[in-house]
Amino acid sequence: MLNKPIKRVLLKLSGEALMGENSFGISPDIVNQIVIEIKKILEQDIQLAIVIGGGNIFRGISLGDQGMTRATGDYMGMLATVMNSLALEDAFNKNNIITRVQSAVNVEQIVEPYVRAKALQYLSENKVVIFSGGTGNPFFTTDTAAALRASEIDADIMIKATKVNGIYSDDPVKNQKAVKFDQISFDDVIDKKLKVMDATAFTLCREQSMPIGVINIFKQNSLYNFINKNFTDGTLVIN
Ligand code: UDP
């Protein structure tokens, strides 16, 4: 059970969530749809930080597979997350949501650098903070950046917003008998070999006892319901 109240949330948005039906890039309509869902939780006085992915633009691993130096591809991926953060910030601004973007890689003419104390100050002022640039290091993912930032800002939960509405016993596309877990323990995720996020990110959350939520951001009110501890629309992973 998640006994403590949910007041501060780290939301991980994958880059792919931003592209909608397209196979690349950013769909402004989709970004707006995401902002509408987020607005519902901000109206509940939730302090919100977001880690944004970059897979809709570049992924180091796939560039590496095509012959590019992996680390170079990863730097391109980190820059892609900065681009996504600008798209998201723009949509938040248009909805009168005060937002600050920080980056783990220095691009100071575009967004401010990541400074934990400043991020905490913004959160206490109820500003949305978008963390871009991943962890700032190649060979990591933005899931790991999300686990790291969630721990640093002492979030009550890290919520991974995907296109799937939770964690299933098997791939629900391939196996119609697959069942969704409303709640599951970290140990059971490992024992059952379920895929939630990459191992580094998952281990960090487990070690920090950081609860993980998995929701489908495109199912109306899923995020809102989850924050209000109705887990039927997603999955809660907890110790
Ligand atoms: N990346 C990285 N270090 C990090 C975070 C991200 O090198 O700490 C790079 C990596 O190449 C990754 C890309 O940025 O593939 C985009 O991030 P990710 O794949 O996590 O995005 P998502 O799948 O969430 O869209």
Side-chain angles (χ1 to χ4, degrees), residues 133-147:
T135 62
N137 301 289
F139 303 102
F140 286 95
T141 65
T142 51
D143 278 0
T144 299

Side-chain angles (χ1 to χ4, degrees), residues 3-239:
N3 292 322
K4 58 180 180 179
I6 300 177
K7 290 274 172 213
R8 181 174 289 171
V9 174
L10 187 298
L11 180 68
K12 161 69 208 296
L13 278 175
S14 74
E16 280 176 357
L18 305 187
M19 64 188 188
E21 296 305 310
N22 306 332
S23 54
F24 181 85
I26 300 166
S27 156
D29 282 351
I30 292 289
V31 175
N32 270 326
Q33 215 174 305
I34 293 173
V35 172
I36 288 167
E37 291 304 311
I38 288 175
K39 213 171 176 179
K40 293 176 191 168
I41 66 163
L42 294 176
E43 282 160 5
Q44 293 220 310
D45 284 338
I46 294 287
Q47 292 183 0
L48 181 68
I50 298 175
V51 166
I52 181 88
N56 55 323
I57 303 173
F58 288 122
R59 261 186 222 287
I61 199 159
S62 37
L63 291 171
D65 289 345
Q66 292 168 54
M68 185 178 275
T69 304
R70 167 71 191 269
T72 304
D74 280 340
Y75 282 114
M76 291 168 73
M78 286 185 256
L79 291 175
T81 71
V82 178
M83 288 194 238
N84 283 336
S85 69
L86 294 177
L88 203 54
E89 182 193 29
D90 187 67
F92 278 128
N93 284 342
K94 292 207 164 92
N95 280 275
N96 300 317
I97 298 168
I98 304 173
T99 309
R100 295 286 180 267
V101 184
Q102 297 195 336
S103 172
V105 287
N106 277 352
V107 277
E108 279 176 66
Q109 276 153 317
I110 306 174
V111 299
E112 57 182 83
Y114 170 63
V115 177
R116 175 175 173 269
K118 236 176 170 185
L120 288 172
Q121 184 198 321
Y122 293 146
L123 289 172
S124 70
E125 294 164 356
N126 289 320
K127 294 176 178 135
V128 173
V129 182
I130 304 176
F131 295 124
S132 63
T135 62
N137 301 289
F139 303 102
F140 286 95
T141 65
T142 51
D143 278 0
T144 299
L148 184 64
R149 298 291 182 243
S151 305
E152 285 184 84
I153 64 166
D154 199 19
D156 298 311
I157 189 165
M158 165 183 160
I159 298 181
K160 185 171 158 141
T162 67
K163 291 178 178 172
V164 187
N165 66 333
I167 302 168
Y168 281 78
S169 57
D170 197 1
D171 184 345
V173 179
K174 293 182 189 148
N175 180 359
Q176 290 191 342
K177 289 189 180 146
V179 285
K180 183 181 80 64
F181 300 99
D182 287 356
Q183 194 169 315
I184 187 165
S185 68
F186 282 93
D187 288 347
D188 279 351
V189 168
I190 294 168
D191 290 348
K192 294 180 199 295
K193 297 188 172 66
L194 302 173
K195 186 93 187 80
V196 180
M197 52 184 62
D198 67 80
T200 312
F202 187 78
T203 305
L204 184 54
C205 287
R206 186 172 182 234
E207 279 174 1
Q208 295 302 316
S209 299
M210 174 63 63
I212 305 171
V214 179
I215 58 149
N216 175 357
I217 190 77
F218 298 110
K219 184 154 184 258
Q220 269 193 9
N221 296 327
S222 281
L223 180 60
Y224 177 89
N225 290 339
F226 204 89
I227 295 295
N228 287 291
K229 299 192 176 178
N230 174 354
F231 305 125
T232 49
D233 267 353
T235 301
L236 172 71
V237 185
I238 196 157
N239 268 334

